[in-house]
Amino acid sequence: MTVSARRTGPALVAGLAVLGLLAAGCTDPRDSASDPGSIVLADAYEPETLNPIAGYSETGESKIHDGLFRIASAGADGRPRIEPALAAAPAEISADAREWTITLRDGVRFHDGSAFDADDVVATYRAILDPAVSSPLVSSYEMIDSVEKADGNAVRFRLKYSYAPFDRKLLLGIVPSEALATPAPVTESAMNNAPVGTGPYKLESWRKGSQLVLVANDAYWDGVPQVKKLTYVIAADDNTRAQRTTSGEFDGAWLPPKLAGTFADTDGYTVVAHPSADWRSVSLPAGDPVAGDPAIRLALNHAVDRQAMVDSILAGYGAPAYTPVSDAFGDYHDAAVTFAHDPAKAEQLLDAAGWQTGADGIRVRDGKRAAFTLMYFPTDILRRDLSLAFASDAKKIGIEVSLDAVDRPQFRPRIPADASLVGGGDNPYDPDTQLYPTLHSRYADHDAANPFRNPSGHRDAEVDAALDAGRRTTDEAARQEAYRTVQAEYAADPSHVMLVFLHHTYVMKDGGWTGTTPVLEPHAHGVTWGPWWNIEDWTRQ
């Protein structure tokens, strides 16, 4: 397989069926002869907005926008590299990592023909921080003290404190300053539905709830994509998406592992798995008298059989999760922090805490049954199956978990009251962005605009201190120690039952393209990731 020279690097997981997956040369029975540059992909998720100021593509996966930096394929340590995009070179960083100066690429134009320059960068980041705009990203960028034009075609960020992984905050797409000239709530922005970026593709049409069509940017600064048209069809139901893929409607689709596996022996299709730092867990709300009880939480962590979930529900495409830190984080990951699958120990913990087995097998303490409700998204087969397995394991130790399939709009306001089957790893390219929004107590009070931040209401002064230390020091050894402390402290008093890390699974129709390569993926999954994450680099064999 030929890999684009712009993004090269070793594969992250040995044995992935990636090499040659596009080179089979099978004819696309749908339309390849008449439209060989068009690709149709099926996704379960439709973006709520296409506006970076509103939170779209914070991890740089947008095909419409470029950030100052972008994700490249894996480096020697297996983690993705960060490389310049709209930046002309790596950032110049002060010794204390509080001042970042970035020289910008010359000659770049937005889709509307206007020139990209420092004003656009300054306007984009100032809009995020402007209270009048009410960007949902404001707390994620709160380390920025100021952003301003520097000498030449450059910008300078000054930070409130040392922040070593600031380049991870520079993946966000840049928008034209003209669109931000008059501060207004981001919910009213025209860019939500009519985005203008510098990226390899531009929006042709968007039929909400149906499909989104992108066409190649013929003036793209990094080379015109050979895939000329991308159609993203929205098909929320997993089974429906699989059936329509089988019928030949799509050139590719994101599917949960078991459904993806059904294509393994289907001629003309390839199953692809990409590693991720994307976890699934049961968030146990602090305010619930059962789910918030420390003994219940610890017992459940020992009761669940994570390996069985990986083997059966994920069909082997994943790994057990004990904390939000996977082994993808190298020396930041503490492999010693685990919860043994030990139902007998779980029962001993409950006995010692006064939870006694009742006549119906469900434990009781002070007249209160050990029972709570667990929500999951009804169209998500994977979350449903994990919820069923969790409830089954919980019942074996005398805890009754009632399952409730809840649509997203109703799900979010119930997070503080009910247990939730949630996911995480939104920005996994540093342990700070992986851990801070999940466990820091500054997010413990429910925020309707960001309901999945610290959904369990986790509060732990030692965890807070270690998280703060990890994000503010530039010393690598000190950062590793801080994040290992977070893992150990969390495991002593967990607020979730972390279940699994996923390998995202996709099905591709063989189509004669080359250039795909695996990359560590965030929680966001779907066909903007997977083998199509660098589709602008693909070439015809």
Side-chain angles (χ1 to χ4, degrees):
M1 182 182 81
T2 302
V3 178
S4 166
R6 178 158 66 81
R7 293 175 179 165
T8 58
L12 296 181
V13 174
L16 285 181
V18 175
L19 296 179
L21 65 91
L22 295 175
C26 296
T27 301
D28 179 352
R30 180 177 52 86
D31 202 18
S32 63
S34 61
D35 194 6
S38 176
I39 288 180
V40 180
L41 305 174
D43 210 335
Y45 307 105
E46 181 176 36
E48 296 179 2
T49 176
L50 297 176
N51 183 358
I53 309 300
Y56 175 63
S57 184
E58 186 181 359
T59 47
E61 69 268 27
S62 174
K63 302 302 179 192
I64 300 170
H65 308 90
D66 293 311
L68 294 174
F69 292 86
R70 64 188 172 198
I71 296 296
S73 55
D77 62 355
R79 293 167 60 196
R81 295 177 293 110
I82 307 294
E83 68 180 13
L86 293 179
E92 297 177 20
I93 310 169
S94 64
D96 62 0
R98 291 187 61 182
E99 187 172 287
W100 295 60
T101 303
I102 299 160
T103 300
L104 305 179
R105 192 177 295 276
D106 292 323
V108 177
R109 293 193 172 272
F110 286 97
H111 297 154
D112 62 3
S114 61
F116 160 77
D117 59 24
D119 288 331
D120 304 305
V121 179
V122 170
T124 296
Y125 281 91
R126 284 183 178 175
I128 290 173
L129 300 175
D130 188 346
V133 175
S134 298
S135 169
L137 296 180
V138 62
S139 61
S140 295
Y141 292 81
E142 56 86 25
M143 75 288 296
I144 299 175
D145 185 50
S146 66
V147 54
E148 59 192 17
K149 293 171 67 173
D151 293 339
N153 190 20
V155 293
R156 180 172 293 115
F157 292 87
R158 289 187 172 91
L159 308 184
K160 297 174 183 176
Y161 50 82
S162 300
Y163 189 71
F166 186 61
D167 55 354
R168 275 67 172 172
K169 298 296 183 181
L170 303 177
L171 301 171
L172 185 74
I174 302 300
V175 300
S177 58
E178 293 81 1
L180 303 169
T182 303
V186 70
T187 54
E188 301 174 8
S189 174
M191 291 189 296
N192 294 339
N193 302 312
V196 176
T198 63
Y201 291 90
K202 52 188 177 181
L203 179 67
E204 180 180 82
S205 63
W206 186 8
R207 298 206 309 267
K208 296 275 182 85
S210 177
Q211 69 177 28
L212 189 151
V213 180
L214 305 182
V215 293
N217 175 9
D218 289 336
Y220 188 48
W221 59 269
D222 201 24
V224 180
Q226 290 190 26
V227 176
K228 296 299 182 183
K229 185 175 183 180
L230 283 172
T231 300
Y232 298 106
V233 176
I234 311 304
D237 183 78
D238 294 334
N239 286 311
T240 299
R241 201 163 58 259
Q243 291 165 4
R244 294 176 67 183
T245 301
T246 301
S247 71
E249 284 189 58
F250 308 133
D251 297 298
W254 169 77
L255 291 172
K258 280 188 174 179
L259 279 176
T262 63
F263 287 81
D265 297 321
T266 303
D267 289 341
Y269 291 90
T270 304
V271 179
V272 182
H274 278 192
S276 80
D278 180 13
W279 47 260
R280 293 292 177 275
S281 81
V282 175
S283 170
L284 301 169
D288 185 277
V290 177
D293 180 75
I296 293 281
R297 290 171 160 187
L298 196 57
L300 286 169
N301 268 283
H302 286 288
V304 295
D305 190 344
R306 295 170 174 85
Q307 189 60 52
M309 293 178 181
V310 171
D311 294 341
S312 60
I313 299 171
L314 301 188
Y317 292 113
Y322 306 101
T323 77
V325 183
S326 78
D327 58 8
F329 288 90
D331 290 338
Y332 290 107
H333 170 66
D334 190 342
V337 177
T338 63
F339 295 97
H341 175 226
D342 191 344
K345 180 175 182 177
E347 294 192 278
Q348 291 169 4
L349 290 167
L350 295 173
D351 290 340
W355 290 99
Q356 300 301 311
T357 304
D360 61 354
I362 303 304
R363 291 176 179 268
V364 180
R365 186 175 70 182
D366 299 330
K368 180 69 178 178
R369 283 168 55 84
F372 59 87
T373 297
L374 171 61
M375 302 185 294
Y376 67 91
F377 299 143
T379 60
D380 192 323
I381 291 174
L382 181 60
R383 296 194 193 213
R384 180 202 67 191
D385 290 351
L386 289 170
S387 297
L388 286 166
F390 173 81
S392 175
D393 287 342
K395 191 169 185 179
K396 293 173 184 177
I397 62 167
I399 299 174
E400 184 177 62
V401 178
S402 300
L403 302 184
D404 192 4
V406 181
D407 288 324
R408 290 173 188 262
Q410 293 75 43
F411 190 105
R412 295 178 178 186
R414 288 177 54 182
I415 288 173
D418 290 314
S420 313
L421 203 297
V422 295
D426 290 350
N427 196 338
Y429 304 122
D430 188 85
D432 172 78
T433 46
Q434 179 81 349
L435 285 168
Y436 201 91
T438 301
L439 297 177
H440 201 285
S441 65
R442 68 175 297 178
Y443 303 120
D445 294 325
H446 182 70
D447 177 0
N450 297 285
F452 295 102
R453 287 182 179 166
N454 196 349
S456 62
H458 190 93
R459 296 181 189 272
D460 185 313
E462 294 297 325
V463 168
D464 284 355
L467 287 171
D468 288 335
R471 69 167 20 189
R472 292 171 185 259
T473 182
T474 59
D475 182 81
E476 187 73 4
R479 296 193 83 219
Q480 292 174 8
E481 181 181 357
Y483 292 117
R484 285 170 169 264
T485 296
V486 170
Q487 294 165 75
E489 290 291 333
Y490 166 83
D493 186 17
S495 56
H496 291 244
V497 180
M498 292 283 165
L499 301 176
V500 293
F501 288 107
L502 307 182
H503 291 168
H504 294 164
T505 48
Y506 306 90
V507 172
M508 300 183 67
K509 183 185 293 183
D510 301 325
W513 293 94
T514 65
T516 187
T517 182
V519 67
L520 179 72
E521 297 185 9
H523 168 68
H525 52 293
V527 293
T528 52
W529 288 96
W532 307 281
W533 76 277
N534 67 335
I535 197 168
E536 62 270 24
D537 295 337
W538 287 12
T539 58
R540 277 285 184 187
Q541 64 172 12

